[in-house]
Amino acid sequence: MRRIMINGSLGQLGSEIAIALRKRYGTDNVILTDIRDDINVELVNSGPFHKVDCRDGERLTELVKEYQVDTIYHLAALLSATAEMRPQMAWDINMNGLMVALEVARSTGCSIFTPSSIGSFGPTTPKDFTPQDTLQRPTSMYGVTKVAGELLCDYYNHKYDVDTRGIRYPGIISNMTPPGGGTTDYAVEIYYAAVNSGRYECPLSGSTYLDMMYMPDAVAAAISIMEADGDRLRHRNAFNVTAMSFCPEEQAAYIRNHIPDFQISYKVDPVKQAIADSWPNSLEDYAARVEWGWEPTYDLHAMTADMITTLKGRM
Ligand code: SER
């Protein structure tokens, strides 16, 4: 039986990984931490929760010992667009937060999951079918922290034998907790706007291709890599994973299968567009498939149907 601590547990990814892990391992075996406690109040009140800054190693170590945690999901980070507005803060939270989590893992013997991102790639990376092992010279602060984070996690693995594992997430689409400050947030907002008003003003150009994934697959990936046999992992930090690649025009066309009058217009945000243009169009994720059995369930068609049905039902 695992005992898990999730840092950044109230965010877009954390809130859904928390629910899935609690279903799998039992509510009392999944301890949530976050710097805030005024969002996702239902989740905050549903089991062990502690308001902690992810840079507070002393408090996190106390919690690991108190609850006899053996696995840490370190999900606290600023996303790409916010990081570009506040680069110094992004370094502090993304890097110092990760360093603290790795030190907690090292000193207590925990395994640790850290998400990397398509943001770890840059303009000199091959754009199509981007390989697992390739050039990573990102130009955004978010990307700088993600590449440095991957290297730091690998360092802790070979230097201290800490069981560090990570995946390079694409944009994640979900309907429970909204993302905040990411370049790929548009791919979530578009569904809400389509259901609410039938129109959406997109901050990226219509032909910008990026990798994406529906939340159930993102959650399954995080759980299955941590349950995988460590002896089979050759890469560790971090694995390419993808489920689909599309541009806003294509996503709008799929939405029109459900909402025929849906209209999309474009008002390009130069910061987000520059970030998106520096990222790959589509990843190759063979290593994840071979080394720990990664396989996505949702494509653009299935995800769009599910998002629209869910949001219509709720509104
Ligand atoms: N969704 C993230 C972002 O846009 C990418 O990892 O920042």
Side-chain angles (χ1 to χ4, degrees):
M1 174 58 78
R2 280 176 192 256
R3 279 262 171 120
I4 296 167
M5 180 170 79
I6 307 178
N7 300 338
S9 63
L10 302 185
Q12 184 199 15
L13 189 55
S15 57
E16 300 215 26
I17 287 183
I19 289 169
L21 286 173
R22 282 184 164 175
K23 263 195 202 131
R24 198 167 177 85
Y25 295 114
T27 299
D28 290 342
N29 292 320
V30 181
I31 292 83
L32 309 187
T33 80
D34 203 285
I35 197 165
R36 300 177 62 176
D37 60 3
D38 57 348
I39 51 170
N40 286 320
V41 178
E42 207 180 313
L43 191 54
V44 169
N45 294 328
S46 68
F49 175 89
H50 295 269
K51 187 175 168 184
V52 189
D53 186 320
C54 72
R55 293 160 293 185
D56 185 350
E58 216 172 295
R59 182 69 187 122
L60 291 172
T61 304
E62 276 172 16
L63 289 172
V64 164
K65 288 183 177 162
E66 182 187 334
Y67 288 97
Q68 296 174 312
V69 165
D70 54 42
T71 306
I72 299 169
Y73 279 73
H74 180 71
L75 309 177
L78 294 193
L79 291 183
S80 57
T82 308
E84 217 41 39
M85 298 299 176
R86 300 191 184 92
Q88 293 76 13
M89 185 197 267
W91 178 270
D92 185 25
I93 293 174
N94 293 11
M95 290 314 302
N96 293 333
L98 175 59
M99 186 71 176
V100 162
L102 286 167
E103 273 299 296
V104 174
R106 182 180 70 83
S107 63
T108 59
C110 284
S111 300
I112 178 165
F113 172 85
T114 315
S116 185
S117 161
I118 50 172
S120 69
F121 298 114
T124 49
T125 302
K127 276 216 167 289
D128 297 299
F129 218 50
T130 304
Q132 171 66 39
D133 300 309
T134 187
L135 269 174
Q136 289 179 278
R137 303 286 295 176
T139 44
S140 68
M141 177 49 98
Y142 179 69
V144 169
T145 67
K146 287 298 170 186
V147 176
E150 289 187 8
L151 294 173
L152 193 58
C153 289
D154 271 348
Y155 182 82
Y156 267 70
N157 177 248
H158 67 72
K159 175 86 174 175
Y160 300 118
D161 206 24
V162 177
D163 181 14
T164 58
R165 307 181 185 195
I167 52 192
R168 294 181 186 132
Y169 276 120
I172 298 173
I173 290 147
S174 63
N175 54 50
M176 192 177 119
T177 307
T183 301
T184 56
D185 292 7
Y186 91 85
V188 179
E189 292 160 2
I190 194 171
Y191 289 118
Y192 282 82
V195 170
N196 275 330
S197 66
R199 59 180 61 231
Y200 180 63
E201 189 176 78
C202 185
L204 296 184
S205 75
S207 57
T208 307
Y209 277 86
L210 290 168
D211 285 279
M212 300 283 175
M213 184 180 291
Y214 199 27
M215 183 59 94
D217 283 328
V219 169
I223 295 176
S224 68
I225 192 177
M226 292 313 284
E227 290 183 351
D229 174 1
D231 292 341
R232 283 182 60 201
L233 303 182
R234 218 167 49 76
H235 286 89
R236 289 189 170 269
N237 303 285
F239 285 90
N240 282 6
V241 288
T242 187
M244 60 192 98
S245 164
F246 58 76
C247 64
E249 281 296 351
E250 276 177 8
Q251 195 181 10
Y254 276 78
I255 290 173
R256 281 190 206 103
N257 288 334
H258 302 267
I259 304 171
D261 295 333
F262 175 64
Q263 285 174 20
I264 185 163
S265 58
Y266 299 93
K267 187 175 173 200
V268 169
D269 174 330
V271 174
K272 288 186 177 177
Q273 188 67 50
I275 293 173
D277 288 343
S278 74
W279 291 354
N281 296 329
S282 64
L283 299 188
E284 172 266 294
D285 58 7
Y286 187 65
R289 288 172 188 262
V290 169
E291 292 178 41
W292 49 276
W294 158 246
E295 202 180 338
T297 312
Y298 285 87
D299 59 12
L300 178 56
H301 173 74
M303 177 179 76
T304 300
D306 197 62
M307 277 298 280
I308 289 187
T309 312
T310 305
L311 293 178
K312 272 188 175 165
R314 203 179 292 157
M315 289 169 190

